[in-house]
Amino acid sequence: VQLQASGGGLVQAGGSLRLSCAASGRTIASYAMGWFRQAPGKEREFVATITRNGESTYYADSVEGRFTIFRDNAKNTVYLQLNSLEPEDTAVYYCAATTLINMGYNDYAASTVYDYWGQGTLVTVSS
């Protein structure tokens, strides 16, 4: 499956953005989908994951209550709604897909379980 992330941009603190990850080649219904981010000079970190049918979602503590992950399998797209953005959210955001199922938070939060990655979209939050 090929993943194409989009929707990044420059936004003021407190603002919102919606990121999209469009898949091609295979249906995303076969995958749990995740978002990760990498800030300048930092390691890639987990943001959120949604299971294949959307029945479960997992969030990093730093984004819980501000970000929402959701998916539209009919459109073969997963989204990340970013609200109440903070300068610390500035990063390149990546979407990823994994075929593994029935995992818990700690597993989905590990980048190593994801088989496919998009190219990333830059989010810049100004103070």
Side-chain angles (χ1 to χ4, degrees):
V1 63
Q2 292 79 46
L3 304 175
Q4 179 77 34
S6 62
L10 174 63
V11 63
Q12 289 188 330
S16 298
L17 283 174
R18 178 175 291 182
L19 307 184
S20 299
C21 176
S24 59
R26 291 194 67 178
T27 173
I28 63 168
S30 301
Y31 303 94
M33 301 295 296
W35 286 94
F36 287 73
R37 67 186 181 185
Q38 187 166 16
K42 295 188 177 181
E43 305 229 338
R44 189 172 298 189
E45 65 174 3
F46 170 74
V47 175
T49 288
I50 186 166
T51 52
R52 290 189 301 176
N53 292 323
E55 67 275 14
S56 296
T57 56
Y58 303 89
Y59 296 94
D61 290 343
S62 59
V63 307
E64 179 88 51
R66 300 188 299 120
F67 292 6
T68 302
I69 187 171
F70 58 103
R71 63 194 296 159
D72 186 338
N73 286 349
K75 294 184 177 179
N76 227 26
T77 301
V78 64
Y79 303 92
L80 186 68
Q81 178 68 38
L82 290 65
N83 295 332
S84 302
L85 282 161
E86 304 168 353
E88 294 73 24
D89 296 317
T90 295
V92 177
Y93 284 71
Y94 299 89
C95 59
T98 176
T99 56
L100 298 182
I101 60 174
N102 298 326
M103 299 195 297
Y105 175 93
N106 288 336
D107 296 308
Y108 281 125
S111 62
T112 51
V113 307
Y114 293 84
D115 307 295
Y116 305 97
W117 292 83
Q119 86 292 355
T121 185
L122 176 62
V123 173
T124 304
V125 185
S126 63
S127 57

